[in-house]
Amino acid sequence: MKDKKISLKDIAQQAGVSTALVSYVLNGKEKESRVGKEIAAKIKEIAKELNYQPNHLAKSLRSGKTHTIGLIIADISNPFFANIARIVEDEAKKHNYTVIIGSSDEKAANSWDLINVMINRQVDGFIIVSAENSEEQVQYLKERNLPFVLLDRHFPELHTDYVSINNNKAAYDAGTHLIKNGYKSIGLLAYKSNLFHMQERIRGYQQALKENDIKPQKSWLKEVNFINIEKEVRASIDQMIAGKNPVDAMIFATYSLAVNGLKYLNELNLKVPTDIGIVSFGQGDTFDLYYCPITYLHQPMNDLGRTAVEFLVKKLQNPEEGIKQVLMEAKLMTRESSQVKESS
Amino acid sequence: MKDKKISLKDIAQQAGVSTALVSYVLNGKEKESRVGKEIAAKIKEIAKELNYQPNHLAKSLRSGKTHTIGLIIADISNPFFANIARIVEDEAKKHNYTVIIGSSDEKAANSWDLINVMINRQVDGFIIVSAENSEEQVQYLKERNLPFVLLDRHFPELHTDYVSINNNKAAYDAGTHLIKNGYKSIGLLAYKSNLFHMQERIRGYQQALKENDIKPQKSWLKEVNFINIEKEVRASIDQMIAGKNPVDAMIFATYSLAVNGLKYLNELNLKVPTDIGIVSFGQGDTFDLYYCPITYLHQPMNDLGRTAVEFLVKKLQNPEEGIKQVLMEAKLMTRESSQVKESS
DNA sequence: TTTTGATGTTTAAACGATTAAACTTATGTT
DNA sequence: AACATAAGTTTAATCGTTTAAACATCAAAA
């Protein structure tokens, strides 16, 4: 059983025919190529017997198609993206595509590298959760005519395929919900980023305040850097709860901000929701297991991932396919962390 | 800027030489192959100018090496494995390898599929977190002489490379720790599995009881099926806390068991650690954010992943390399969930 | 009997890179 | 002048597959 690699040639030899016939038969082109019936049967049998596995490299080299999708996500350690990755993988498999995953860790330079690695691994197309300041990369893919779909984040000034969330609406909903439940001083902890989705969250939050005639305070809106998030989250929360206009509720703009924030609130011995109401973007076990279940915005990950793959596969099958853009709605899952505030 | 794919031939044409020279120069073999200095310079310049990216498929087809590692993990939705995957990826990148990841979801059939897919994608070698009953797959790889390293789980009866944890010791430590802290009736919630690592955890737990003259009760040791874990965890816990010998502490044999278990304890309104002490395998944010920080066994993920890659790469570079096996120690991280029991 | 058509099979180029071997000049040695 | 050696470059095979085109064989039609 020390089988060496079996190639078309081996089968051809055993069957006493040329490799062309074997190729035809094994690709189900017996009809079009009028291969003799007995020969065809014989070839199939030998192939099975030798457990022939075609060499993908050779196939791809010939066809120019690798049936591989390059998935670049912003941060693999974030369960939201990890899940998305998994969904994309599963969905791609259904369409007979393999996925190569890479994480840019939110750095544009890294995603450049990944794009190049993937290009010369000959991926057929890309699905990308863009890092900040990576517009030129998207532009580059467009110019080289490489098929891609942006996922979860997009650049409104670029005309590309994308599948994302209506973040403005989501943040607006979060804010409105808290206000309705009696919270009056609502903070937002976001990432410092010029990415559109983050800006939209900020705008949605601001609009919720405005429409309810709440005067926004500078100390309520904090933006922290992705790197050394831990320290900055602490500092930001300190500022939000200090001063003469402390917040009585806060919105976390991402899951990782929430995890860090909740840890710190624990340390400060602030009780949710009595001391401070909470709504967060993202989702994870943590939100269920926190002593007080956290209200969060449920992003339809399955739909996001599935649709992104679908768009890309369609485009791969027919490059003339037009540009497709979707904004999906996040759904507010109301839990105890934002329950109606007892009038104090 | 609508550059089509650039090949060696294109460069050769521009430079007015044969592809051979271009290949030599671009692979740094100018010296051995005595390429003219000016020509070499010219070739390099043209290559840069055209932004030449070698075609990996062609390279691999020729060399028989893809510089790709196939990583098969048991369950990508488990953060422990997701993290391991990430570490393996990073480490592989350092050695200039790309990683293809697949999740078997703990099913042997799936991992067979993955192995086949990866084989005909011509991976150079495998790193595998084995699913139950996949011994024959490991055997198969051995027979076909395909390089691989088992990670986190291994089969003691098979003579293979592996990097795992000393699970016996870890479970023993967990049990002993609880006993020392005054708990008397200690349960273990494990997976129903004949995988060695799980059996070892059970044995370690049992030995801890035995050495402390605690008579093990049948209702204390529960094994649940991976599929519909949620229901079975509930049922198991119900049984553990019922009867005339209810547990006053329990050990979760994996992270996912812990997440499900803790959720249920919440629902039951059982307080940790007063009503029930907890120690768990695995790690994750949840353990920090639970109202009572959870004592857990810290598995050296970085070392595990790094070492697995290292073993594999060594073997790829020198197939004669001998079999390497390592058992690493898990470290008990003591937190409040297992603190000294107040005498009641 | 030649032609036409259908049927079945092989040949050979192509995909892009690597590399041993062959070839061509030029230079130095006797 | 004759030859050996060095320096620089090209040729061609190879990896495993696909596929258009060429080729061969035979039966039926003209």
Side-chain angles (χ1 to χ4, degrees):
Chain A
M1 245 222 198
K2 45 182 167 182
D3 21 350
K4 203 72 227 109
K5 270 275 120 123
I6 303 296
S7 74
L8 281 192
K9 223 204 249 170
D10 299 316
I11 300 181
Q13 237 144 31
Q14 281 237 4
V17 297
S18 72
T19 61
L21 276 200
V22 181
S23 173
Y24 289 136
V25 171
L26 264 28
N27 286 300
K29 306 209 170 149
E30 328 168 26
K31 289 278 147 55
E32 301 98 297
S33 321
R34 307 163 294 181
V35 179
K37 276 198 170 182
E38 317 89 68
I39 291 281
K42 191 173 177 188
I43 288 174
K44 280 181 190 163
E45 196 187 342
I46 295 178
K48 186 156 293 169
E49 193 178 324
L50 297 183
N51 184 30
Y52 168 71
Q53 304 277 139
N55 183 323
H56 251 266
L57 295 173
K59 264 184 137 99
S60 297
L61 180 56
R62 183 83 218 299
S63 67
K65 299 270 153 274
T66 53
H67 259 248
T68 302
I69 293 174
L71 171 65
I72 300 180
I73 60 188
D75 177 18
I76 185 72
S77 70
N78 181 328
F80 174 71
F81 293 126
N83 266 309
I84 287 263
R86 194 198 180 176
I87 291 161
V88 166
E89 238 184 321
D90 289 352
E91 196 61 24
K93 196 182 289 171
K94 285 186 202 151
H95 295 272
N96 263 309
Y97 278 85
T98 305
V99 177
I100 300 182
I101 304 175
S103 172
S104 68
D105 295 336
E106 302 280 7
K107 300 208 201 75
N110 289 348
S111 81
W112 253 136
D113 288 349
L114 285 170
I115 285 179
N116 280 320
V117 166
M118 289 175 174
I119 284 179
N120 76 345
R121 290 245 163 193
Q122 321 292 130
V123 299
D124 291 344
F126 293 86
I127 294 179
I128 303 179
V129 179
S130 299
E132 202 174 2
N133 302 320
S134 62
E135 288 94 327
E136 56 164 347
Q137 300 171 22
V138 174
Q139 197 61 52
Y140 173 77
L141 293 177
K142 255 187 105 169
E143 276 165 9
R144 292 228 8 204
N145 223 1
L146 295 168
F148 68 94
V149 174
L150 300 187
L151 178 56
D152 185 59
R153 304 172 180 183
H154 69 281
F155 302 100
E157 70 276 19
L158 296 180
H159 189 231
T160 69
D161 288 69
Y162 66 74
V163 181
S164 343
I165 294 284
N166 186 340
N167 285 292
N168 191 306
K169 171 81 162 24
Y172 174 83
D173 286 349
T176 307
H177 163 74
L178 283 167
I179 294 169
K180 271 213 185 102
N181 277 5
Y183 298 88
K184 306 243 180 319
S185 312
I186 299 167
L188 173 69
L189 186 56
Y191 276 128
K192 180 177 244 81
S193 164
N194 52 31
L195 279 168
F196 185 68
H197 77 296
M198 196 52 74
Q199 291 303 314
E200 282 284 275
R201 289 179 189 181
I202 293 174
R203 281 193 285 268
Y205 154 80
Q206 288 170 326
Q207 191 173 353
L209 293 190
K210 192 171 165 198
E211 285 190 8
N212 289 277
D213 299 316
I214 296 180
K215 179 150 173 276
Q217 304 293 125
K218 228 173 39 192
S219 69
W220 292 355
L221 173 57
K222 290 288 167 192
E223 299 173 68
V224 308
N225 289 296
F226 179 70
I227 22 161
N228 96 308
I229 169 177
E230 206 174 320
K231 266 194 197 141
E232 296 198 24
V233 164
R234 287 156 173 272
S236 300
I237 291 182
D238 282 341
Q239 290 178 279
M240 287 167 104
I241 59 177
K244 63 174 194 285
N245 276 309
V247 298
D248 60 359
M250 55 195 297
I251 300 171
F252 293 115
T254 76
Y255 181 72
S256 39
L257 288 170
V259 169
N260 280 279
L262 291 173
K263 261 186 211 175
Y264 189 49
L265 292 181
N266 262 353
E267 285 178 36
L268 292 176
N269 243 322
L270 287 175
K271 287 301 165 214
V272 176
T274 31
D275 294 332
I276 192 158
I278 301 285
V279 175
S280 181
F281 276 79
Q283 59 223 78
D285 289 327
T286 306
F287 290 169
D288 290 333
L289 280 170
Y290 202 63
Y291 60 85
C292 161
I294 303 294
T295 297
Y296 64 94
L297 286 150
H298 177 265
Q299 286 154 291
M301 289 192 292
N302 282 289
D303 286 348
L304 283 171
R306 216 172 26 74
T307 308
V309 173
E310 192 189 298
F311 282 11
L312 184 57
V313 170
K314 278 227 182 86
K315 174 153 273 175
L316 291 176
Q317 281 161 359
N318 169 22
E320 306 306 318
E321 199 85 10
I323 297 271
K324 296 198 181 61
Q325 310 185 324
V326 183
L327 278 192
M328 299 183 171
E329 296 297 326
K331 193 175 158 204
L332 190 75
M333 309 299 284
T334 310
R335 322 276 286 282
E336 292 163 37
S337 73
S338 61
Q339 71 189 181
V340 176
K341 196 162 175 62
E342 318 278 331
S343 48
S344 50
Chain B
M1 248 226 199
K2 43 179 168 183
D3 20 348
K4 203 73 227 108
K5 273 270 116 127
I6 302 298
S7 74
L8 280 193
K9 221 204 248 174
D10 299 317
I11 300 180
Q13 237 145 30
Q14 281 238 4
V17 297
S18 72
T19 61
L21 276 200
V22 181
S23 173
Y24 288 137
V25 171
L26 263 28
N27 286 299
K29 307 208 171 149
E30 327 168 28
K31 288 279 149 54
E32 301 98 297
S33 320
R34 306 164 295 180
V35 180
K37 275 198 170 181
E38 316 90 68
I39 290 281
K42 190 173 178 189
I43 288 175
K44 280 182 190 160
E45 195 186 341
I46 295 177
K48 185 156 291 167
E49 193 178 323
L50 298 183
N51 184 32
Y52 168 71
Q53 304 277 137
N55 183 324
H56 250 266
L57 295 174
K59 265 184 135 99
S60 297
L61 181 58
R62 182 89 216 300
S63 66
K65 299 269 152 271
T66 53
H67 258 247
T68 301
I69 293 175
L71 172 64
I72 299 180
I73 60 187
D75 177 20
I76 185 73
S77 69
N78 181 327
F80 174 71
F81 293 125
N83 266 309
I84 287 264
R86 193 195 183 176
I87 292 161
V88 167
E89 238 184 320
D90 289 352
E91 196 62 23
K93 195 182 290 172
K94 284 186 205 152
H95 295 272
N96 261 312
Y97 279 85
T98 304
V99 176
I100 299 182
I101 304 175
S103 172
S104 68
D105 294 335
E106 301 281 7
K107 300 207 201 75
N110 289 349
S111 81
W112 253 135
D113 288 350
L114 286 169
I115 285 180
N116 280 320
V117 166
M118 289 175 173
I119 284 179
N120 76 344
R121 290 246 163 192
Q122 322 291 129
V123 298
D124 290 345
F126 292 86
I127 294 179
I128 302 179
V129 179
S130 298
E132 202 175 2
N133 302 318
S134 62
E135 290 92 327
E136 56 164 347
Q137 300 170 22
V138 174
Q139 197 61 51
Y140 172 78
L141 294 176
K142 253 186 107 170
E143 275 164 9
R144 292 223 13 201
N145 224 0
L146 295 168
F148 68 94
V149 174
L150 299 187
L151 178 56
D152 185 57
R153 305 173 180 181
H154 68 282
F155 302 100
E157 71 276 18
L158 296 180
H159 190 231
T160 69
D161 289 67
Y162 67 74
V163 181
S164 346
I165 292 285
N166 186 341
N167 286 292
N168 192 306
K169 171 83 163 23
Y172 174 84
D173 286 349
T176 307
H177 163 72
L178 284 167
I179 294 168
K180 271 214 186 103
N181 278 6
Y183 299 87
K184 305 241 178 324
S185 313
I186 298 165
L188 173 68
L189 187 56
Y191 276 127
K192 180 175 243 82
S193 163
N194 53 31
L195 279 168
F196 186 68
H197 78 296
M198 195 54 72
Q199 291 303 314
E200 283 283 276
R201 288 178 190 182
I202 293 175
R203 282 193 284 270
Y205 155 79
Q206 287 169 328
Q207 190 172 355
L209 294 189
K210 192 171 166 197
E211 285 191 8
N212 289 278
D213 298 316
I214 296 181
K215 180 150 170 276
Q217 303 294 125
K218 230 176 33 197
S219 69
W220 291 356
L221 173 56
K222 290 288 167 191
E223 299 174 67
V224 307
N225 289 295
F226 179 69
I227 23 162
N228 93 309
I229 168 177
E230 206 174 321
K231 268 195 196 141
E232 295 198 26
V233 164
R234 285 156 174 271
S236 300
I237 291 183
D238 282 341
Q239 291 178 280
M240 288 168 103
I241 61 178
K244 62 175 199 281
N245 276 310
V247 299
D248 61 358
M250 55 195 297
I251 300 171
F252 293 114
T254 77
Y255 182 72
S256 39
L257 288 170
V259 169
N260 281 278
L262 291 173
K263 261 186 211 176
Y264 190 49
L265 292 180
N266 262 353
E267 287 178 33
L268 292 175
N269 243 321
L270 286 175
K271 287 300 164 215
V272 177
T274 30
D275 296 330
I276 192 158
I278 300 286
V279 175
S280 180
F281 276 79
Q283 57 223 80
D285 289 328
T286 306
F287 290 169
D288 289 333
L289 279 173
Y290 201 64
Y291 60 84
C292 160
I294 304 292
T295 297
Y296 64 93
L297 287 150
H298 178 264
Q299 286 155 292
M301 289 193 293
N302 282 290
D303 286 347
L304 283 170
R306 215 172 27 73
T307 309
V309 173
E310 191 189 298
F311 282 10
L312 184 58
V313 169
K314 277 227 183 85
K315 175 154 271 176
L316 291 176
Q317 281 163 356
N318 170 22
E320 306 307 318
E321 198 86 11
I323 298 271
K324 295 199 182 62
Q325 311 184 323
V326 183
L327 279 192
M328 299 183 170
E329 297 297 327
K331 194 175 160 205
L332 190 75
M333 309 298 284
T334 309
R335 323 276 286 283
E336 290 163 37
S337 72
S338 61
Q339 70 189 183
V340 176
K341 196 163 174 58
E342 318 280 330
S343 47
S344 49

